Amino acid sequence: MSKLPQWVGRMGTGLTRLAHRLESQQADMLGPDGEGDDAARGPGPSEDHPHGGHPSGGTPGAGAGAGADDGAGAARGGTEGPEGAKSTEGSGGAAGEGAAARSEPPSVPAPPAYAPAVSARPDPVDAVPWGVRVAAEAGWRLLVLGGTVWVLMKVISSVQLVVLSFTVALLITALLEPTVTRLRRRGVPRGLATAITFISGFVIMGLVVWFVVWQVMENVDEVSGEVQAGIDDLRRWLLHSPFHVTEKQINHVAKSLREAIGANTEQITSAGLEGVTVVVEVMTGILLSMFCTLFLLYDGQKIWNWSLKLVPAPARAGVAGAGPRAWATLTAYVRGTVIVALIDAIFIGVGLFFLDVPMAVPLAVFIFLFAFIPLVGAVVSGALAVVVALVTQGVFTGAMVVVVVLAVQQIEGHVLQPFILGRAVRVHPLAVVLSVAAGSLIGGIGGAVVAVPLVAVANTVVGYLRAYSQETALRAVPGPHGATASATASVPPPVVPPGPPPGEGGG
């Protein structure tokens, strides 16, 4: 019994040492960051060593120390078996904890606090400024549109005669189609109504052209004599004018003109040959226009329906609605222009007749024909009448003709055109001038004639398609329900009845 306290003290000391060894072993296995490193810890436990011991019988380091202490305890008293057993059991538990720690997957250590922050690369789309993106989007679309227009202009210039003849046929059809409609309403068959309208219309236009040519040929001798007399008067006036023009200077100018005419005889001859070619082209265009007019008057509705089949199905409804409105605009333009031109020709012709200007009737016919070229045609025809009056009748008569022409044109621009043409075909003066200039560059006089009606039709079509797209977008949006629907219900716009397509007639 005297050895019992000593044995208990030695067992407590052994347990304390064992606890310290287990803590140090666990700290070594976890490492400085609290997580173990498999490479630093060495080989893990295997099935041959279930307690995580060393192959030699214990754990690395601490296991050897434990074996030595156990051996020393056994040598000291032989009664330390329970302590050795407890030591072995504790060593096995520590090895199990080490194995569990080593089974965790490794992780990347966090960067140190002094490392600079690395930002992610931005999206290339976000890196481009918004204005540059908008400019690029609009730029390539404008390039495509410009290329399309350029190709279209090339095609039109290649078949200029055909395009111009068909456009003139459209204008003539717009002028004659109401007559076909009236005849059909009176019970005349379509073929007979078309034939009567076609023949009578072109006979009247032919008589007008013949009358102009006849009047010019009848009065050309008289006018040439009066022009010569006017030139002599102008020469005498220059000699006595404050400009101090001498006889020698006037003769020198006349001699230069004669030499220029003699030197350019070959060019004048070639121009005459080109004039023959122009006459042939004009006759071809007239025949082609007559042919197209005849079939547009007879089968205009069938031609329109066939044209609609060429349009893609999603856009067919909008084009089908824009077509009749475009035709109504073209018809209103042609009718209004004919009425305005007739009024201008009558009033200016009466003024020329009372002022005793020669060739008053042919000049009135020229004013009627040139009125189909807005703005520019009135200026050219009025200037022609003023020059004839100035050369033949003197300065006072020329000034009076200027007053008559300006008065009639002012009445036309501020009263006749707004009242007769209306808002349906109103085009801004800048658009008129630009369209006439572009048309004359592309197709000469014929291009200048058809430019403004085409612009008016395009304006009507674009306006209708814009309104149609907005209405379609509103229909696609689900409307309100209940009491809100009655409070926010929109009033539909008034529907303007469009005119029929070419050749539709009344039945």
Side-chain angles (χ1 to χ4, degrees):
M1 294 297 292
S2 61
K3 294 182 178 181
L4 181 61
Q6 297 177 357
W7 179 81
V8 172
R10 288 195 300 271
M11 185 177 64
T13 303
L15 291 176
T16 302
R17 294 175 179 174
L18 179 62
H20 286 302
R21 285 196 297 269
L22 290 175
E23 290 177 359
S24 62
Q25 182 181 4
Q26 186 176 4
D28 292 339
M29 288 187 295
L30 293 177
D33 296 332
E35 296 181 359
D37 189 286
D38 295 336
R41 287 194 297 265
S46 61
E47 294 179 359
D48 297 335
H49 310 284
H51 295 290
H54 197 270
S56 62
T59 59
D69 291 341
D70 292 341
R76 281 192 299 268
T79 59
E80 296 184 60
E83 182 181 357
K86 292 180 181 179
S87 176
T88 304
E89 182 179 358
S91 177
E97 293 178 1
R102 286 192 299 272
S103 64
E104 297 179 359
S107 61
V108 179
Y114 59 83
V118 180
S119 59
R121 291 185 178 181
D123 190 359
V125 177
D126 297 334
V128 180
W130 180 80
V132 177
R133 292 203 303 269
V134 172
E137 292 285 341
W140 73 262
R141 286 177 171 83
L142 288 177
L143 287 176
V144 172
L145 182 60
T148 304
V149 173
W150 182 81
V151 172
L152 183 61
M153 290 295 102
K154 284 293 184 180
V155 173
I156 291 176
S157 62
S158 301
V159 291
Q160 177 180 348
L161 181 62
V162 177
V163 174
L164 188 59
S165 301
F166 183 76
T167 307
V168 172
L170 281 176
L171 297 178
I172 298 175
T173 304
L175 180 63
L176 300 180
E177 191 269 337
T179 305
V180 177
T181 302
R182 294 189 186 96
L183 291 177
R184 292 202 60 202
R185 289 175 181 174
R186 295 179 180 273
V188 181
R190 174 181 290 275
L192 183 58
T194 301
I196 293 174
T197 305
F198 174 80
I199 295 173
S200 59
F202 276 93
V203 165
I204 292 174
M205 287 186 285
L207 289 176
V208 170
V209 174
W210 171 81
F211 179 77
V212 172
V213 174
W214 173 62
Q215 286 292 316
V216 171
M217 296 301 295
E218 285 287 329
N219 296 276
V220 65
D221 296 333
E222 178 184 357
V223 172
S224 61
E226 293 182 356
V227 168
Q228 184 64 38
I231 292 175
D232 295 337
D233 294 339
L234 179 61
R235 181 178 180 179
R236 288 191 295 269
W237 180 82
L238 289 174
L239 290 174
H240 299 86
S241 67
F243 299 106
H244 304 289
V245 179
T246 62
E247 183 78 18
K248 184 178 180 180
Q249 292 175 341
I250 296 176
N251 294 332
H252 179 70
V253 171
K255 181 180 179 181
S256 300
L257 290 176
R258 286 193 298 268
E259 290 178 354
I261 294 175
N264 297 324
T265 304
E266 295 181 359
Q267 296 182 2
I268 295 174
T269 305
S270 62
L273 296 176
E274 291 179 359
V276 175
T277 306
V278 170
V279 170
V280 173
E281 290 183 355
V282 169
M283 295 303 298
T284 304
I286 291 174
L287 294 176
L288 187 58
S289 298
M290 294 175 63
F291 187 79
C292 294
T293 302
L294 178 62
F295 282 96
L296 287 174
L297 288 173
Y298 185 76
D299 279 336
Q301 183 61 35
K302 294 180 180 179
I303 295 173
W304 171 246
N305 293 334
W306 177 84
S307 301
L308 284 178
K309 296 179 181 179
L310 303 178
V311 181
R316 191 171 299 166
V319 176
R325 288 164 176 81
W327 181 250
T329 300
L330 184 62
T331 304
Y333 176 84
V334 174
R335 294 178 188 173
T337 303
V338 168
I339 295 174
V340 171
L342 186 61
I343 294 175
D344 288 352
I346 291 175
F347 279 96
I348 295 178
V350 170
L352 295 176
F353 177 78
F354 281 106
L355 290 173
D356 199 18
V357 177
M359 294 196 308
V361 177
L363 288 175
V365 176
F366 274 115
I367 291 170
F368 172 80
L369 296 177
F370 276 91
F372 285 91
I373 306 176
L375 297 181
V376 180
V379 174
V380 173
S381 59
L384 179 62
V386 171
V387 169
V388 172
L390 180 64
V391 171
T392 57
Q393 299 296 325
V395 178
F396 177 77
T397 305
M400 295 303 297
V401 172
V402 170
V403 172
V404 171
V405 171
L406 290 179
V408 173
Q409 289 182 358
Q410 290 298 317
I411 295 174
E412 170 197 343
H414 294 86
V415 178
L416 296 179
Q417 286 189 355
F419 178 74
I420 297 175
L421 296 180
R423 294 183 177 270
V425 293
R426 180 172 296 178
V427 182
H428 196 275
L430 178 60
V432 171
V433 174
L434 294 178
S435 60
V436 170
S440 61
L441 290 176
I442 295 174
I445 298 177
V449 171
V450 302
V452 177
L454 291 182
V455 170
V457 169
N459 185 29
T460 302
V461 171
V462 170
Y464 173 79
L465 292 179
R466 185 188 301 115
Y468 178 79
S469 62
Q470 294 176 355
E471 183 180 356
T472 305
L474 290 177
R475 289 178 180 176
V477 177
H481 302 281
T484 309
S486 60
T488 61
S490 60
V491 180
V495 179
V496 180
E504 183 179 5

